[in-house]
Amino acid sequence: MSTDASGPRVYISEGSDAASSVPLPEGRTTFGRAESCEVTLADAAVSTHHLEIAARGGSLLATDLDSSNGTVLNGTALDRPRRLRNGDVLQVGPYRLEVAMPPQLRHESTAAASAALPDLTDEERQIARALVAPYRDPGVKAGRPATRAEVSAGLSISERTVQRRLDGLAFKLKIPPDAKRERPRLIAERVIELGLDR
């Protein structure tokens, strides 16, 4: 992991123990009991793969990975991917994870961010909504993007048309073309992060 002190990080504590600092480099950081996780949290109340925090361009997005006991964000169940801000507190089993953003990211204006939103066509916005619909389902602990077939059926358009519109959406959201199978998830995360499905 990166040891860049200027990037976002989480301070992890358990009970009265002193907090340890973990950097959140660009990309995905997983938390759980499994040794394959970037951050191992050894407690029976923590699932093997419990939580993911995705860092992209100064933004952080937290997703519960369908854990048995769930994740709590600022006292509320993390029922879908949520954008994190400085000072947010996640609870994973007995562990408290406090988000710390560097000053240059902390003071970024929401108004300035919205001015840079990509200009989507009505069709692209429909695709965006359909793609993230499973994340928005209140009965789902950890969402996933809708499949091309699900989007096609939901909007009554061909899968080929869905693919063409997803390609346009990916381009406008600056999703790398080499993302391949990860691309729908990356598009969905970006859509939620920017609120483009609202």
Side-chain angles (χ1 to χ4, degrees):
M1 290 196 106
S2 165
T3 55
D4 180 8
S6 65
R9 49 200 324 105
V10 290
Y11 289 89
I12 304 174
S13 57
E14 181 184 10
S16 59
D17 293 348
S20 60
S21 171
V22 175
L24 296 170
E26 280 287 307
R28 299 163 57 187
T29 302
T30 54
F31 299 76
R33 278 196 338 263
E35 288 184 18
S36 59
C37 291
E38 284 79 15
V39 180
T40 305
L41 302 173
D43 189 276
V46 177
S47 294
T48 309
H49 294 92
H50 196 108
L51 170 72
E52 172 188 289
I53 298 179
R56 187 175 304 107
S59 293
L60 298 176
L61 196 68
T63 306
D64 182 89
L65 299 175
D66 204 16
S67 63
S68 300
N69 295 318
T71 302
V72 175
L73 172 61
N74 299 328
T76 304
L78 182 64
D79 55 359
R80 60 182 178 265
R82 295 278 190 181
R83 188 172 183 173
L84 298 175
R85 304 213 183 275
N86 187 58
D88 281 348
V89 175
L90 293 152
Q91 191 73 37
V92 175
Y95 295 94
R96 180 180 191 274
L97 287 68
E98 184 172 347
V99 177
M101 303 286 278
Q104 68 271 26
L105 299 178
R106 197 180 306 165
H107 300 297
E108 191 174 67
S109 160
T110 304
S114 62
L117 290 178
D119 185 25
L120 302 184
T121 65
D122 289 341
E123 291 83 9
E124 288 167 339
R125 200 168 290 278
Q126 279 183 330
I127 291 288
R129 284 190 195 109
L131 186 68
V132 302
Y135 287 107
R136 302 293 192 196
D137 185 343
V140 173
K141 273 189 170 183
R144 53 138 182 98
T147 64
R148 211 170 37 220
E150 289 169 335
V151 173
S152 169
L155 297 178
S156 301
I157 57 177
S158 72
E159 286 189 42
R160 190 174 189 163
T161 301
V162 170
Q163 185 60 54
R164 196 170 57 251
R165 291 181 186 167
L166 280 173
D167 290 343
L169 202 52
F171 178 77
K172 287 183 177 180
L173 296 175
K174 297 180 173 54
I175 304 298
D178 61 350
K180 303 206 189 268
R181 289 184 178 208
E182 290 290 302
R183 199 170 75 147
R185 184 185 60 77
L186 294 173
I187 294 171
E189 285 178 0
R190 193 83 174 120
V191 164
I192 290 169
E193 178 186 315
L194 298 173
L196 297 175
D197 63 320
R198 296 298 187 188

